[in-house]
Amino acid sequence: MIKIAVLGYGTVGSGVVEVIARNQAELSGSAGEEIKVKYILDSREFPGDPNEDKIVHDFNIIVEDEEIRVVCEAMGGTGDAYLYTRRALEAGKSVCTSNKELVARHGAELMSVARERQCNYMFEASVGGGIPIIRTLAVALSTERIEAVTGILNGTTNYILSQMESEHADYHEALARAQRLGYAERNPEADVKGHDACRKIAILASLVSGRRVDSEKVYTEGIDGIKPEDFAFASKLGMTIKLLAVSRMSENGRLFCMVAPFLLPLTHPLASVCDVFNGVLVRGNMLGDTMFYGRGAGKLPTASAVAADVADCVRNQNRTIMRGWDSETAELYDIKNIESRFFVRCAEEDRNRVREVFCGEDKTEGFSLEGEYGFFTPVMKEEVFGQKRDMLGEAVKGSLRLMSE
Ligand code: HSE
């Protein structure tokens, strides 16, 4: 029998305990040994909880107990979670986590400690919740050159955008609904400003490139500037709007990452990923496109991914299986050189001036809708687009990049 500890008895931690209890037979079958939760670390008491006897308040009890082979970190943050993860790995105990912030910031270092101690630092639950995207990229697609990963990686913002589209809600109404349903936090900034999706794409980009992608260097826009007018134009165009996290690798090894809302045609594989669901589209050089879809958040889907990591750690004791990435930070291709087509909205009376600035001789026509005029620009560099937009100031009511592939 293998004994494990769970750090944090909140949503994910209690989910891990529940999945291990309810899927005991499946877990034991997969791991090859019975798995039992011995300790749950939390600063709170849980009187009357069926696992009350497992609660401990001192991490030393866990790290000093030789019976504990695997630790599930579900505390979140980069303070104690980092210290405890490091100490557990140094003691030769594998760690499984859902903590994307910690993986994005210290993943390379923690995986290197795991390698030195011949154990594992696993993080399937950190991206895409229950979608097994980490294992897929690290194992199933390990012989592919991954040219692009494009994902809807944040359930909260996908729900908000879906509500704006289907219910014609404005951003604030849709956010309030997401908060009422428990999808969005009271302080929703990490989700709506794109930071959560940014950390997740940094993890995926690090994994496929083998180099540490610093999430702080990834160009990131959120969805808080999206207006009902954007959806009205999108609908006329036969398109939708999604917050996409994008990572691309060029043939000469140049890596580019960004997070931003994009217009995408309804025929695009990610267009039908709605509500709180996540989707990840992966392009391999031999494989072509393959897509993964599922619940990107929530107690049991996330805990299911942690449990799968626990089984992997038990099957691979004294052997490091996660190849990880270098701690040296990857140089990202500067966004100002990226080329896109943009859809621009302006007031009807400004249409000639605004079109002239963006399109020059290009005669592609746009269309009018409810007192505004919208049109696609020719393909242009971000830097050029930004200069034109700054020059026009308030005349530009909104703009979105087009995701055509
Ligand atoms: N806030 C995240 C989301 C939770 O909405 O996707 C899962 O990482």
Side-chain angles (χ1 to χ4, degrees):
M1 180 188 294
I2 293 283
K3 305 263 176 79
I4 72 164
V6 177
L7 311 185
Y9 201 37
T11 306
V12 177
S14 62
V16 171
V17 175
E18 184 178 337
V19 168
I20 289 173
R22 284 174 59 186
N23 275 17
Q24 183 57 239
E26 291 76 7
L27 193 58
S28 307
S30 167
E33 295 202 47
E34 198 183 333
I35 292 170
K36 193 168 181 295
V37 176
K38 183 171 181 182
Y39 302 117
I40 300 168
L41 180 79
D42 203 289
S43 57
R44 300 164 293 176
E45 303 291 347
F46 293 88
D49 187 282
N51 295 296
E52 188 183 358
D53 59 326
K54 299 188 175 80
I55 301 284
V56 293
H57 306 303
D58 180 2
F59 179 68
N60 289 313
I61 296 170
I62 294 169
V63 82
E64 285 164 12
D65 187 336
E66 301 220 331
E67 254 194 338
I68 298 294
R69 303 306 313 140
V70 182
V71 172
C72 301
E73 185 268 300
M75 301 169 69
T78 56
D80 285 348
Y82 166 71
L83 293 175
Y84 296 167
T85 298
R86 211 184 144 107
R87 285 184 62 199
L89 294 169
E90 281 167 352
K93 301 177 196 305
S94 289
V95 177
C96 308
T97 190
S98 58
N99 187 339
K100 60 228 156 189
E101 202 181 347
L102 187 57
V103 178
R105 191 174 297 178
H106 295 294
E109 171 201 329
L110 294 169
M111 276 182 272
S112 144
V113 177
R115 255 191 311 279
E116 280 162 26
R117 304 294 301 141
Q118 289 169 315
C119 56
N120 285 288
Y121 183 50
M122 308 285 280
F123 45 92
E124 182 64 72
S126 66
V127 182
I131 305 176
I133 188 64
I134 300 288
R135 198 170 272 99
T136 300
L137 290 172
V139 181
L141 302 184
S142 63
T143 56
E144 280 291 308
R145 174 146 41 81
I146 303 298
E147 295 173 344
V149 178
T150 310
I152 294 173
L153 299 179
N154 183 268
T156 304
T157 46
N158 205 36
Y159 175 82
I160 293 171
L161 293 175
S162 299
Q163 285 287 305
M164 290 180 76
E165 180 169 48
S166 61
E167 307 300 317
H168 307 289
D170 77 12
Y171 167 75
H172 297 285
E173 284 163 3
L175 170 61
R177 263 177 229 176
Q179 285 170 320
R180 273 201 301 281
L181 290 167
Y183 300 146
E185 310 272 341
R186 203 168 305 153
N187 176 357
E189 210 162 279
D191 291 319
V192 301
K193 297 271 185 204
H195 304 314
D196 176 80
C198 168
R199 289 182 194 122
K200 290 168 178 169
I201 197 68
I203 293 171
L204 297 183
S206 301
L207 193 60
V208 301
S209 70
R211 291 172 280 163
R212 176 175 181 260
V213 173
D214 182 353
S215 60
E216 310 260 318
K217 300 213 165 91
V218 174
Y219 176 84
T220 301
E221 282 177 24
I223 61 157
D224 44 345
I226 301 292
K227 301 273 185 286
E229 292 83 341
D230 291 307
F231 274 104
F233 275 99
S235 162
K236 283 275 174 226
L237 288 162
M239 294 191 179
T240 187
I241 301 168
K242 298 287 183 193
L243 183 71
L244 298 182
V246 180
S247 164
R248 295 221 174 106
M249 175 92 82
S250 70
E251 266 182 36
N252 53 14
R254 267 200 314 221
L255 185 62
F256 166 70
C257 291
M258 80 181 288
V259 174
F262 279 83
L263 262 180
L264 60 170
L266 295 178
T267 50
H268 191 285
L270 289 169
S272 52
V273 177
C274 293
D275 298 321
V276 285
F277 281 87
N278 281 196
V280 190
L281 181 64
V282 178
R283 178 166 301 162
N285 66 327
M286 296 293 134
L287 175 75
D289 285 349
T290 178
M291 195 168 111
F292 306 87
Y293 171 84
R295 292 192 180 276
K299 177 174 168 170
L300 295 180
T302 307
S304 163
V306 176
D309 278 350
V310 171
D312 239 357
C313 290
V314 172
R315 276 196 305 271
N316 293 285
Q317 291 181 66
N318 306 315
R319 195 165 81 93
T320 305
I321 51 170
M322 189 51 92
R323 118 185 101 110
W325 51 83
D326 293 344
S327 50
E328 204 179 304
T329 305
E331 181 122 359
L332 294 180
Y333 193 54
D334 197 331
I335 183 150
K336 67 178 197 264
N337 296 317
I338 295 296
E339 295 195 318
S340 298
R341 273 187 93 194
F342 296 82
F343 187 77
V344 175
R345 285 192 292 113
C346 63
E348 185 69 57
E349 61 266 26
D350 292 327
R351 64 188 273 181
N352 292 338
R353 181 166 68 99
V354 175
R355 251 191 68 87
E356 171 68 27
V357 169
F358 283 112
C359 302
E361 294 306 301
D362 185 281
K363 293 285 176 260
T364 317
E365 268 307 317
F367 61 97
S368 300
L369 193 67
E370 296 162 17
E372 288 193 354
Y373 180 76
F375 62 92
F376 278 108
T377 68
V379 172
M380 63 179 69
K381 286 194 172 173
E382 289 273 347
E383 186 177 31
V384 175
F385 179 82
Q387 286 161 356
K388 291 178 190 291
R389 197 185 156 135
D390 289 349
M391 196 168 91
L392 287 159
E394 298 288 297
V396 175
K397 299 287 182 209
S399 65
L400 284 162
R401 296 169 187 85
L402 173 66
M403 174 59 66
S404 47
E405 38 172 335

